Amino acid sequence: MNIKLIYSLFLTYFVFCSAISQDLTHAKNFSIENGISSSNVYSIYQDHIGYMWFGTDVGVSRFNGYEFENFAHKKPPFNSPVTKIWEEKHTISFTNMNNNFYSIINGEIIETSSKKNDTTLNKNHFDVSKNEKLKKNFENIEITSTFLDNKKGMWVTTLDDGIYYIPDHKFIETRPSNNKIYGLGVFNDNITYGYKTSTSLKIIDKPKFSEAEIHFHKNKLYYKKELIYTFNGNYINSSKKSKSRFIKQNKEFIYFIGDTNEIYKIDPIKKSQLVIKDHSLLNISSLGFNSNDELLIGNNNGIYNYTQKKHILLDPLNKNNNYKIISINSNLRNELIVATKSSGIFLKDKNNLFSKINNEKINSSYINALDLDKDDNIWIATNNGVYKINKNNSNIDLHFNNQNGLLSNQVNDIIFLNGKIYTAHNKGLSIININDYNSNGDSTNVTIPYIRYDNEKINNPSNEITIDSKYSYLTINYLAINYKLKGEVNYKYKINGIHNDWIFTKERKVQFTTLPEKGTYIFEVKAQNEHSIWGKTTKLKMRFLTPFYKSWWFIALIIFFSLISLWLITRAVYKRKLKMNRLLTEKLDFEAKALQSQMNPHFIFNALNSIQSFITVGDIMNSEIYLAKFSSLLRKTLNYSNHNTIILSKEVENLKIYLELETLRFEDRLNYEIIIDELVESDLIKIPPMLIQPFIENSIIHGLTPKPEGGKIKIHFYLKGENYLVCEIIDDGVGRQNKINSAHKSLGTSIVKKRLSLLSIEVPDYLKYTDLKDELGEPKGTKVKLTIPIK
Amino acid sequence: MIKVIIIEDEKNAIKTLQSYINKYTSEISILGIANNMKEGIELIKTSKFDLAILDINLGDGTGFNVLEAIEDKDFGIIFTTAYDEYAIKAFKYSAIDYLLKPINPKEFVEAIERYKTNITNISNKQLKIARTINNNKIVINSTNEMHFLELDEILYLKSDKNYTDIYIKNQQRITSTKTLKFYEQLLSENRFLRIHQKYLVNLNYIRKYLKEDGGYVLLTDNSKLEVSRRKKEDLMDALLK
């Protein structure tokens, strides 16, 4: 065991009195400044979750270790002090001096008719007057109630002075001192400590050394200024050196006392003394031995094996290896533990190689001292308290600091003795009763008071929640109640499935601004207790619902409806196409029929007859002309029957050829006239082909043929509005009443009628017959009026 | 006496032509007859004649193939065919006429007469020029003249019943014996558009489109031509091209 002291320490030896209860070193006072609504506090209660409830003269307040939440009565006057608070079936109830009863339901104070008052004595009550220290501290304060919380913390309410909280650090005792304690030692199984004053050295000890500067080692040896003694009183040696600091004993019980630049080797049995001086000995900061009992010297530049005269590399990867060695210790297994000032701790492993303890906390700490307990666990004193490092896994098992009982975070020295860890502080001494500490019983666990979906707050959610996809963010508020930590709780959380590593925080909420689309995730959160021990994991199972538009049923529905619509559309298109096809077929059919009607056998044979007659009478030229015209008509008819539309002027040409043919046949009995209104753009207007001819033929056959003197056909084209062309066919024949052959008439014109109706459903009177009469009312011919849609 | 050659693969058609020439014309003699394209080219190359009556379908080729093989097309041409789809191409060769079979004797006589009229006014050399016509030139037959115009010279054409007035750049006006419909077809591949029953306009000379009174175009020479309602869309499309 290495004991180091700064040479100018006073050294004091102490026998601590046992069973020291709470002192006020860590007490905290809560008043209006801390958020409670009144400093006149009358009653205390701790509910099943761990919240502290306080009854004041204006209502009740709840404390969670961070802040007070005040519940005030909404109906004034409510100025009667709350004398008692209790809990029934997780509902907080309280009564006041006026004997009114209230409950807190959904955050509201509700007056209850139930007069049931828990009249049993408060088991958590303790008597301040029986505690000397407390009594002294509360001398001038009017105490209204006391309460021992579930962690043995003491709560004292006062009039006008708020609340006092005295944490229970039962396994840590503190010995405050006005002196800065720099070093610790052991003498006669008692701890000695050294401190520094500005003027003189003092020692308060059994050996009655006065004004000495001494080091002790295992009660066997001490070093006094210029002298080294064994405690059996034998004088060993005197030395002029005054800077020795390190006493180490090797396996042969030979002591080595290190000074800055030299080492005294003392054999107490032989009473021999040897001064080791070497040019390599500079700025010695620690001494030790390896398993072969070779002397190791730690200085500002690393470890030097004095026996073998060689430098030991702690960190082969790091070239400079210039670590300031604080201590060199061997454990029970003869393994070396080397502490550096600011570069962590190195362990000599099975392969006799040094390896660094891989702990960020330790690596980033300034190590002031190191000691091993009886189980070889490593205890280090740092500027941030004391860490206990598990010998098996090098994890930090415990952390002690000002929060959980140490006098201060700055720890100058540390020493293990008889199951206790003693630490030296600038403010005095702390003693950790590590045997009393039960690491399992005191864990700090996390609750989830509420979560928020967007702005929707859910109090006390069950441990499995379902999150609708309509929400855009989720806030989980968690809380660990640990009054000792004074609002400095360390949390870590992660979401299984999203985070690989824990996320460390002191915040009490986590907000997820982007929610997973679907799936189940488990939110886990833990808190550290005052000794940096992580408590139980609190889990919140979060089931994120698939947005409805991504859920299987919705997709299925969409697919279903898509298929239905597709089918409907297809069917509609198909039907429409069928209908179109039918119409088209019908149209083509009628066009074919139109061709037929135009080229009806009657006309063809009449035409051929005419040609024959020209030939018979020897009128070769007329027969040639007639034949050419006939073939021309035939050609055009055949051509245009393929077209949907024909330019009006071309159709008129065809009509002219037809009429000329008929004229040839009728000789002088047939005259015709075609009039196109000037407004009719005959070269631009398109009409269905072969529409008009049957009506002309009809007029010739039925109107004019029966008339011996023949007659005249007048065809008149004019516009009706912008979209209709009217074709009037006027004959001065015998009229429809006198028609001879009605069967033929119906053939050609009925087809045309049908075609016209196919083309223009919206024209109701696309075909109109008018019987013309003379002044005497006798038939004078027929007027056919065709209304043709034009493009 | 006008010397005629007939290139025709159908014997009956040759007979009809011979008959028509004999019966209905005078001062015309048939110099030679060829029965296919090859013979036709040979005939044209080896004989001195004035007018070729040329069938389009010749079995081993077309009448156009025959003409393509001949360099000096300094003769009159009358096409005969049973089909009417070649009409436009025929006129690009400045055919005097284009007769559909069976040939109307009246039309045949008219065609011969037209040749006779032309021949008094147009030298063979002019014919030759006419025959070298490309897509940017046009031959316009007026009552007794033949005009060779660059298409660029024509501002617009105006229908005058069965005639067409052609307005050209230098304020001149030529009256053609063809209908406007004929020119519309002839010039359909050039930048000419029928904007109205009465007008076929050279799009290159449209300066403005005026919406007033149903729509007009103003040409570079300040002529104002009405646009048919039915053609507005076509005009816009053509102008924006």
Side-chain angles (χ1 to χ4, degrees), chain A residues 766-783:
Chain A
Y766 50 86
L767 177 60
K768 199 177 162 190
Y769 285 95
T770 311
D771 296 313
L772 303 173
K773 302 233 164 75
D774 62 11
E775 301 85 33
L776 303 167
E778 291 298 309
K780 201 185 88 169
T782 309
K783 182 167 94 176

Side-chain angles (χ1 to χ4, degrees), chain A residues 386-446:
Chain A
V386 170
Y387 292 96
K388 179 194 172 194
I389 299 158
N390 190 297
K391 62 168 176 188
N392 297 319
N393 54 19
S394 300
N395 285 340
I396 292 177
D397 267 359
L398 287 170
H399 177 215
F400 296 92
N401 59 10
N402 184 239
Q403 241 94 50
N404 53 41
L406 288 188
L407 270 177
S408 76
N409 288 339
Q410 166 86 33
V411 185
N412 298 326
D413 201 358
I414 190 162
I415 195 164
F416 173 80
L417 182 69
N418 297 334
K420 290 181 180 178
I421 295 287
Y422 296 83
T423 56
H425 308 275
N426 289 351
K427 292 173 176 174
L429 195 67
S430 299
I431 304 141
I432 304 167
N433 298 296
I434 53 172
N435 291 338
D436 294 350
Y437 182 72
N438 175 4
S439 57
N440 294 326
D442 240 359
S443 70
T444 294
N445 297 325
V446 185

Side-chain angles (χ1 to χ4, degrees), chain A residues 597-598 655 658-659 690-703 713 715 727-731 744-745 747-756 766-769 782-788:
Chain A
S597 70
Q598 194 167 27
L655 291 178
Y658 167 72
L659 282 165
M690 299 181 294
L691 205 60
I692 299 161
Q693 188 269 342
F695 292 94
I696 300 174
E697 191 182 348
N698 210 40
S699 292
I700 292 169
I701 294 165
H702 303 292
I713 295 237
I715 299 159
C727 173
E728 281 183 358
I729 301 152
I730 304 156
D731 68 68
H744 173 80
K745 179 191 171 180
L747 178 67
T749 54
S750 67
I751 291 164
V752 173
K753 270 190 216 169
K754 185 74 186 169
R755 283 184 72 203
L756 272 178
Y766 50 86
L767 177 60
K768 199 177 162 190
Y769 285 95
T782 309
K783 182 167 94 176
V784 183
K785 191 177 161 190
L786 278 170
T787 306
I788 306 159

Side-chain angles (χ1 to χ4, degrees), chain A residues 181-337:
Chain A
I181 299 179
Y182 285 101
L184 295 171
V186 181
F187 179 66
N188 284 346
D189 259 0
N190 283 321
I191 287 291
T192 59
Y193 63 93
Y195 58 92
K196 183 185 183 182
T197 64
S198 56
T199 54
S200 57
L201 292 165
K202 265 187 182 171
I203 188 160
I204 309 157
D205 56 2
K206 289 268 164 67
K208 303 260 187 291
F209 296 128
S210 61
E211 300 189 358
E213 180 188 319
I214 56 172
H215 289 211
F216 299 94
H217 189 67
K218 297 274 182 190
N219 304 335
K220 302 248 171 54
L221 188 77
Y222 67 90
Y223 169 80
K224 194 184 161 195
K225 188 178 183 184
E226 295 179 357
L227 289 168
I228 295 163
Y229 299 89
T230 58
F231 283 115
N232 57 18
N234 292 331
Y235 160 79
I236 297 176
N237 194 18
S238 71
S239 166
K240 285 169 188 165
K241 297 298 165 193
S242 59
K243 288 184 179 178
S244 302
R245 271 165 281 178
F246 320 100
I247 305 176
K248 277 276 182 179
Q249 194 174 27
N250 70 6
K251 285 172 183 167
E252 290 165 3
F253 305 105
I254 295 166
Y255 291 99
F256 292 81
I257 300 176
D259 202 344
T260 315
N261 298 324
E262 52 190 26
I263 295 164
Y264 304 95
K265 185 179 170 187
I266 298 161
D267 188 333
I269 300 156
K270 294 178 183 169
K271 296 189 177 175
S272 69
Q273 181 185 344
L274 190 73
V275 178
I276 300 167
K277 270 196 166 184
D278 195 296
H279 67 279
S280 62
L281 301 179
L282 279 168
N283 300 318
I284 298 169
S285 54
S286 57
L287 293 178
F289 307 95
N290 66 12
S291 51
N292 298 328
D293 231 9
E294 295 169 343
L295 177 64
L296 305 176
I297 299 165
N299 62 14
N300 284 352
N301 300 312
I303 299 180
Y304 183 72
N305 185 322
Y306 183 79
T307 313
Q308 292 192 15
K309 305 269 192 254
K310 75 176 182 196
H311 216 78
I312 296 170
L313 285 178
L314 284 177
D315 189 356
L317 294 173
N318 193 339
K319 273 182 185 169
N320 69 40
N321 260 288
N322 288 329
Y323 304 121
K324 181 174 185 181
I325 310 299
I326 295 301
S327 77
I328 302 164
N329 280 280
S330 293
N331 62 16
L332 298 173
R333 286 181 284 178
N334 274 325
E335 291 168 338
L336 277 184
I337 295 146

Side-chain angles (χ1 to χ4, degrees), chain A residues 300 354 378 486 740:
Chain A
N300 284 352
F354 284 98
I378 302 163
K486 296 171 187 170
I740 294 157

